[in-house]
Amino acid sequence: MTRISAQAAVAAIALTTIGAVSAETIRFAHVDPAEWTQSKKGAASQVFKNLVEAETDISVELYPAGSLGGETELIEGAQDGSITVAMVSGAYANFCPAAAVTDIPYTFPNAPLAWEVMDGEFGDALAAHCLEQTGLRTLAYGETGFRNFTNSVRPVAEPADMAGLKFRVQTIPLYLEMVRGLGAEPQGIAWGEVPTALATGVVDGQENPISVIYSNNFFEFQDYLTLDRHVYGVDHILINDEFFQSLDSEQQAAVQRAAIVAGTTGRAIQQFGSADGIAKLAAEGMEITQPSAEQMDKFRAAAQPAVQAYLRDELGSDAVWIDRLADAVDAAQGN
């Protein structure tokens, strides 16, 4: 997949309008809130729309807040062409299983390193592989951010502190294996039931990105936040490849540039939301623990083996992507 440099992407904002051979319409869908100034995917989609419409005769229609379905439906719609562009996260692994490797816990130590890996050779190779499997071209990557643990019992600074605690997780084997590996008890509970489960003590804690923890008022039920950053969520900006190939070269370049700026915008909104959320959670009285580098190594050593073993069984020949990601992370760290 041809990638555009970050400098070229930013420069696209200043380009004058470029005429297109013919007018087209892009239907861009995501599940984030409709109020785009408060939404990473919403802000990304609005930026994409503005840039594409400034450079081409293509019009962009936005469909936020799951108005065209959940992430699975959006991906299916992008495959059949009823949706042109879908910005999705975890559900993509159901269509391109190799994409699940980015959810291996404690893989990315920080966001800038994750960006370097996803915007580099590994991300390009994964995109090409998934294009073959799905017919969807990855235009760019954004992020849903790091997930962190909260609980109502005690501060958690290392895996030993999690012993005996019950954590609500998504009913996804990767998350179940991760929590078991850390010595706690995972509980698969539907999202709508989480506040009640936390308030009544059915579970001691849960895990989510900072913005979700704050926006759902989990501080009302949880006293302790651990900034362990166990899973880094990737957003995929996907386009129906048949549609993309129908565009002329100038349109393709404009769409690609716009998507890269959109992904960068989503990352920035997410980073701001996390910083803002941490400050607000502290103000609400949550005790916040940032594990040391040594403690983070303990989390990694406890959680990764079981998850990697599960994924190797699930992925079969695609398990090579586990090692390709680990090698890319090591290279980015200079190891």
Side-chain angles (χ1 to χ4, degrees):
M1 179 180 79
T2 301
R3 304 286 298 203
I4 309 298
S5 69
Q7 292 84 357
V10 174
I13 300 175
L15 292 179
T16 57
T17 300
I18 299 174
V21 173
S22 61
E24 302 280 357
T25 299
I26 287 176
R27 293 160 57 89
F28 189 129
H30 62 83
V31 299
D32 268 17
E35 177 46 66
W36 64 269
T37 60
Q38 305 298 318
S39 156
K40 54 187 175 291
K41 290 184 177 70
S45 66
Q46 188 67 47
V47 166
F48 179 89
K49 172 182 172 69
N50 292 351
L51 291 178
V52 169
E53 292 184 346
E55 290 194 57
T56 73
D57 288 339
I58 301 171
S59 63
V60 180
E61 299 174 352
L62 302 181
Y63 296 88
S67 57
L68 298 183
E71 286 200 343
T72 295
E73 289 74 28
L74 298 188
I75 296 168
E76 291 171 344
Q79 287 181 313
D80 67 28
S82 59
I83 295 169
T84 320
V85 174
M87 189 171 183
V88 299
S89 52
Y92 194 39
N94 295 327
F95 297 80
C96 180
V101 301
T102 60
D103 280 346
I104 294 173
Y106 306 104
T107 290
F108 298 109
N110 54 66
L113 188 140
W115 303 338
E116 182 177 349
V117 170
M118 297 310 299
D119 293 344
E121 292 182 3
F122 172 83
D124 288 350
L126 180 64
H129 172 76
C130 290
L131 172 59
E132 292 180 358
Q133 294 211 333
T134 67
L136 300 176
R137 176 178 294 269
T138 303
L139 293 172
Y141 296 102
E143 73 175 26
T144 63
F146 283 108
R147 304 178 74 91
N148 300 277
F149 287 108
T150 68
N151 83 91
S152 60
V153 178
R154 57 177 173 264
V156 169
E158 58 184 54
D161 299 325
M162 296 183 70
L165 299 182
K166 295 178 290 185
F167 285 90
R168 180 270 172 183
V169 296
Q170 302 175 75
T171 53
I172 298 173
L174 181 150
Y175 285 87
L176 299 173
E177 294 293 343
M178 174 185 68
V179 171
R180 290 190 188 106
L182 292 172
E185 181 182 341
Q187 299 284 322
I189 296 174
W191 175 245
E193 300 172 9
V194 173
T196 300
L198 294 173
T200 60
V202 171
V203 291
D204 302 305
Q206 60 83 55
E207 55 81 45
N208 261 299
I210 294 296
S211 59
V212 175
I213 295 169
Y214 180 74
S215 64
N216 286 275
N217 298 327
F218 286 165
F219 53 82
E220 295 179 356
F221 319 112
Q222 304 278 269
D223 299 316
Y224 306 101
L225 166 65
T226 301
L227 299 177
D228 70 304
R229 307 183 304 280
H230 49 269
V231 171
Y232 174 82
V234 176
D235 269 336
H236 306 262
I237 303 179
L238 308 171
I239 189 168
N240 177 284
D241 194 52
E242 184 176 352
F243 176 91
F244 185 81
Q245 297 297 343
S246 74
L247 302 178
D248 64 44
S249 59
E250 289 183 344
Q251 290 173 322
Q252 288 181 353
V255 167
Q256 182 80 71
R257 284 193 294 268
I260 293 172
V261 178
T264 301
T265 299
R267 288 170 173 172
I269 294 290
Q270 202 300 118
Q271 289 296 313
F272 175 83
S274 288
D276 184 51
I278 290 171
K280 288 178 176 176
L281 291 171
E284 292 290 348
M286 290 195 79
E287 181 177 329
I288 299 175
T289 299
Q290 174 60 73
S292 67
E294 181 180 358
Q295 289 168 332
M296 289 297 295
D297 286 340
K298 292 180 180 180
F299 277 111
R300 185 176 302 106
Q304 280 194 353
V307 173
Q308 289 182 340
Y310 163 77
L311 279 179
R312 288 187 189 281
D313 288 341
E314 286 292 304
L315 294 177
S317 61
D318 278 348
V320 64
W321 289 98
I322 297 173
D323 302 312
R324 293 184 69 169
L325 177 56
D327 290 343
V329 170
D330 283 346
Q333 291 179 304
N335 295 340

